[in-house]
Amino acid sequence: MSSLFSQTSSPISSLSMCMHFIHVVVDPITYVYSDEELCGPSDRLTRGFQQFSNEEVSGQNQVKASVQRRIRQSIAEEYPLLEPVLEDLLPKKSPLIVAKCQNHLNLVVVNNVPLFFNIRDGPYMPTLRLLHQYPNIMKKLQVDRGAIKFVLSGANIMCPGLTSPGGALDKEVGAETPVAIMAEGKQHALAIGFTKMSAKDIKAINKGIGVDNMHYLNDGLWKMQQLD
């Protein structure tokens, strides 16, 4: 099985090997994924942010300073490699907006730009646009080529897509962990996932859903570069 963190074709280092903070600006839609992959199979699944739009937002509230501190602390603890730029991303003097959406979804918004999201009181996860700027902040799992079109249709990630040749697991990833979903032969993450089981269990059980697909390239949140 190929290792996600040993491919010489990718300039993205693993979190464990990253000794300094890397900032990258790319547009992966045109850079690494084909139109056919982005369109996905005809029986597209409706989940996550696929149909997401401004109409899904039920309210926007500027949070108090104490709430803003809690959000910043939670994000800093979940993504310690973001700490050097956290003040730039979430300036203390700029209003921090939490947008309430359907299905218990919350968006963290600064200057009308969605940066993070969570479900109910779950961990905050970066948007893909933010992850593509700071690609080393999350733990990574990799799917094989055959899974790409399904992930980009909103399907959850099945264990065999991670354990087959072309897939790769970080054995340190536990259950209920936000992860970047990489793809065989591609340079940039195609989705944000939330593990249903640990990487060790994904390998051992090797059936069923291993990772929930929370947000993926070309879904509604990706297309929403700014919140009205």
Side-chain angles (χ1 to χ4, degrees), residues 17-19 25 28 32 92-93 115 117 126 136 149 176 189 197 205 224:
M17 297 178 65
C18 181
M19 302 302 293
V25 178
V32 289
K92 295 178 181 179
K93 295 184 179 181
L115 297 177
F117 66 93
N136 292 313
K149 62 183 179 181
E176 299 185 346
M197 61 181 81
I205 298 171
M224 182 186 289

Side-chain angles (χ1 to χ4, degrees), residues 171-196:
K171 65 181 181 180
E172 300 301 322
V173 172
E176 299 185 346
T177 299
V179 290
I181 303 299
M182 313 302 290
E184 179 186 8
K186 306 297 183 180
Q187 184 178 358
H188 303 290
L190 75 163
I192 303 290
F194 191 67
T195 58
K196 293 179 69 70

Side-chain angles (χ1 to χ4, degrees), residues 62-65 68-69 72 86-96 110:
Q62 180 177 336
V63 299
K64 298 179 181 179
Q68 182 172 348
R69 284 195 297 271
R72 286 169 56 92
L86 200 56
E87 177 59 33
D88 294 328
L89 292 175
L90 305 174
K92 295 178 181 179
K93 295 184 179 181
S94 295
L96 190 150
V110 176

Side-chain angles (χ1 to χ4, degrees), residues 23-30 82 89 112-117 125-135 137-138 188-192 215-226:
H23 176 258
V24 179
V25 178
V26 294
D27 183 358
I29 285 289
T30 57
L82 265 183
L89 292 175
N112 296 324
V113 178
L115 297 177
F116 297 90
F117 66 93
M125 290 170 264
T127 65
L128 272 169
R129 290 188 181 277
L130 183 61
L131 178 63
H132 289 155
Q133 292 181 56
Y134 305 103
I137 63 174
M138 302 185 80
H188 303 290
L190 75 163
I192 303 290
H215 166 38
Y216 55 94
L217 285 177
N218 221 26
D219 68 5
L221 182 57
W222 171 267
K223 293 176 182 177
M224 182 186 289
Q225 298 189 40
Q226 287 197 326

Side-chain angles (χ1 to χ4, degrees), residues 36-152:
E36 181 180 356
E37 287 171 333
L38 288 168
C39 289
S42 58
D43 57 337
R44 291 174 66 92
L45 303 178
T46 301
R47 65 175 78 233
F49 287 103
Q50 186 178 71
Q51 306 296 331
F52 189 75
S53 66
N54 279 294
E55 286 68 34
E56 303 288 322
V57 179
S58 58
Q60 300 184 47
N61 299 300
Q62 180 177 336
V63 299
K64 298 179 181 179
S66 58
V67 176
Q68 182 172 348
R69 284 195 297 271
R70 286 200 299 271
I71 292 175
R72 286 169 56 92
Q73 181 179 357
S74 177
I75 291 171
E77 290 174 354
E78 188 72 44
Y79 310 106
L81 288 180
L82 265 183
E83 189 169 358
V85 297
L86 200 56
E87 177 59 33
D88 294 328
L89 292 175
L90 305 174
K92 295 178 181 179
K93 295 184 179 181
S94 295
L96 190 150
I97 306 298
V98 172
K100 301 287 186 179
C101 311
Q102 295 182 12
N103 300 318
H104 308 286
L105 173 69
N106 305 301
L107 296 177
V108 176
V109 182
V110 176
N111 296 325
N112 296 324
V113 178
L115 297 177
F116 297 90
F117 66 93
N118 73 340
I119 307 295
R120 292 188 172 90
D121 295 322
Y124 290 97
M125 290 170 264
T127 65
L128 272 169
R129 290 188 181 277
L130 183 61
L131 178 63
H132 289 155
Q133 292 181 56
Y134 305 103
N136 292 313
I137 63 174
M138 302 185 80
K139 296 181 183 296
K140 301 179 178 75
L141 302 179
Q142 179 172 294
V143 298
D144 59 28
R145 291 180 187 275
I148 292 175
K149 62 183 179 181
F150 297 103
V151 175
L152 292 178

